Amino acid sequence: MAAVRVVSAGARAGDVVHVTGAASVQFVSRPIVARVIRVRDDLVTYHGWCWLDVY
């Protein structure tokens, strides 16, 4: 699971996301590309951010 700031209109299942250091310090030196399984609206995070289940 990754918390990411959604820059466009929003992530949806099937979208491909590029998770970088802007999402978490663990991705600074090694960003990942992942496909969204679902957007987790049941988890609370910062305004403008969301939790994603990805693979």
Side-chain angles (χ1 to χ4, degrees):
M1 214 176 352
V4 298
R5 181 172 167 266
V6 178
V7 178
S8 65
R12 297 179 301 185
D15 288 351
V16 175
V17 293
H18 185 219
V19 184
T20 66
S24 175
V25 69
Q26 69 192 29
F27 301 111
V28 168
S29 63
R30 194 163 185 186
I32 63 168
V33 175
R35 185 168 305 274
V36 176
I37 299 169
R38 67 179 170 165
V39 178
R40 298 289 307 267
D41 57 3
D42 58 326
L43 299 173
V44 179
T45 189
Y46 300 108
H47 177 73
W49 289 69
C50 64
W51 282 98
L52 302 175
D53 285 343
V54 301
Y55 68 91

